[in-house]
Amino acid sequence: MPLGNASEDSTHEHRRLAPFGDEQATSSWSIPLGRLGPVSFFLSSSVLVAVAILIVVVATVTGRQGNADLPMLALIGSAFWVSGWVAQIVAELWVSGMYRRPVPWLTINLVGVESRPRRWPPIESLMVSFSSLAALLSLGAVYWWVDGGFRTPVFALDRIENWSVPSFGFATSDSVWLVGAWLCWAQALCQTFPLPKTTGRHILGAITSLCSRRLGTAQQVAVLRRCLVVMSMVTLVIALLMMRDERDLLIPRWPWVLLLSVLLWISTRARDLEATMLSFQSSLRND
């Protein structure tokens, strides 16, 4: 092979493996927060945009009758949301430390810790990802338990209605903890839906790598892409079913589900699919 072609192939391979480096964390969309021990923390610009929108909405609506407690609601809800971030960070750092897998940086976006391709074995990546989701679900369960007055939860018929639509009322102090539980579970749901940089997408990639070890990178990427397409179609069907049942609602929810389906469909051509499968194959070769 000519030297010129070898150099081009080496450069192309370096570009394909570039997402594993720390340069991703220092992109123009991330703001450095500081360093805690060996870990550098970054904040996605999407968080600042969401905070700005929240401040504008609160400032606009607060002056209206019956909305005097809206600033306190926004502050408490934001605190619960940040507590979900903390749960994800602690779980990911703790479990990755158990496997002796260094985490040089963490980027926090609107729904929590971003899942990026790393040279970790698929099974260890699964354990770290599952622990992050389990921490969110457990934190929500703790808030739900506190809402019961520190008593053992009892699944009675009069409590089932709380699972339909979360209540954001502040008539009693106990309802504050119920809000925290719903926010943590909503954050876990957002992380599970396999959009780019989410825990769910990383879990799906790790499972694909485990189930198709005999295939090459291109075939694994094709399998992962087909799985995402199927999930997008299922989400579309759910949106259509919701549209049929929500004709009388003032603010229907089906357009948001439809938007998620479209975004997931578009993301099936993202470059992170190849980077994810390359990271798992690279870790298996190194081990």
Side-chain angles (χ1 to χ4, degrees):
M1 181 182 292
L3 293 178
N5 292 340
S7 177
E8 291 178 1
D9 292 343
S10 176
T11 303
H12 178 64
E13 182 69 15
H14 174 72
R15 290 177 179 175
R16 293 171 71 191
L17 295 177
F20 306 138
D22 292 346
E23 60 270 14
Q24 264 199 334
T26 58
S27 64
S28 58
W29 293 98
S30 301
I31 301 172
L33 293 178
R35 192 177 185 89
L36 182 61
V39 185
S40 298
F41 291 91
F42 296 83
L43 184 68
S44 175
S45 299
S46 61
V47 177
L48 301 181
V49 174
V51 170
I53 295 175
L54 180 63
I55 292 176
V56 171
V57 171
V58 171
T60 304
V61 181
T62 299
R64 300 179 183 178
Q65 185 177 2
N67 294 328
D69 61 343
L70 188 58
M72 182 60 64
L73 168 65
L75 182 61
I76 295 176
S78 300
F80 281 127
W81 195 261
V82 172
S83 71
W85 294 353
V86 175
Q88 292 183 56
I89 293 172
V90 172
E92 182 159 336
L93 292 179
W94 181 48
V95 178
S96 61
M98 290 176 57
Y99 286 110
R100 297 182 180 179
R101 297 290 175 179
V103 180
W105 51 264
L106 285 177
T107 302
I108 304 171
N109 61 19
L110 191 58
V111 296
V113 178
E114 292 185 353
S115 293
R116 302 285 187 125
R118 291 191 175 98
R119 287 190 180 96
W120 289 358
I123 188 64
E124 296 181 8
S125 296
L126 278 177
M127 296 303 297
V128 174
S129 299
F130 281 135
S131 66
S132 179
L133 293 178
L136 272 176
L137 296 175
S138 300
L139 183 61
V142 169
Y143 290 150
W144 183 280
W145 179 61
V146 173
D147 177 68
F150 294 96
R151 297 188 300 269
T152 302
V154 177
F155 293 96
L157 293 178
D158 59 344
R159 299 287 289 181
I160 295 180
E161 61 180 2
N162 291 329
W163 290 91
S164 58
V165 178
S167 173
F168 293 95
F170 280 83
T172 62
S173 58
D174 290 341
S175 64
V176 176
W177 300 104
L178 185 59
V179 171
W182 276 107
L183 289 177
C184 287
W185 292 335
Q187 195 173 131
L189 180 62
C190 293
Q191 280 283 32
T192 304
F193 194 76
L195 288 174
K197 303 178 185 178
T198 61
T199 304
R201 197 176 186 104
H202 197 74
I203 289 176
L204 189 59
I207 294 176
T208 303
S209 178
L210 287 173
C211 297
S212 58
R213 289 185 174 181
R214 297 183 179 181
L215 300 180
T217 302
Q219 290 80 9
Q220 289 184 342
V221 172
V223 172
L224 180 56
R225 181 173 290 117
R226 288 189 179 96
C227 292
L228 293 174
V229 170
V230 170
M231 296 188 69
S232 175
M233 298 300 295
V234 171
T235 308
L236 176 61
V237 172
I238 294 175
L240 295 178
L241 293 176
M242 293 176 64
M243 179 178 62
R244 184 190 62 180
D245 299 333
E246 295 183 352
R247 295 178 179 177
D248 299 331
L249 290 180
L250 180 62
I251 303 179
R253 291 166 293 183
W254 67 266
W256 301 103
V257 180
L258 178 61
L259 178 61
L260 287 176
S261 174
V262 174
L263 291 177
L264 183 58
W265 181 283
I266 295 174
S267 72
T268 57
R269 295 295 174 180
R271 295 178 57 187
D272 70 301
L273 300 183
E274 183 182 11
T276 299
M277 305 317 297
L278 277 172
S279 67
F280 294 137
Q281 288 196 356
S282 176
S283 67
L284 294 175
R285 288 195 300 266
N286 292 338
D287 292 347

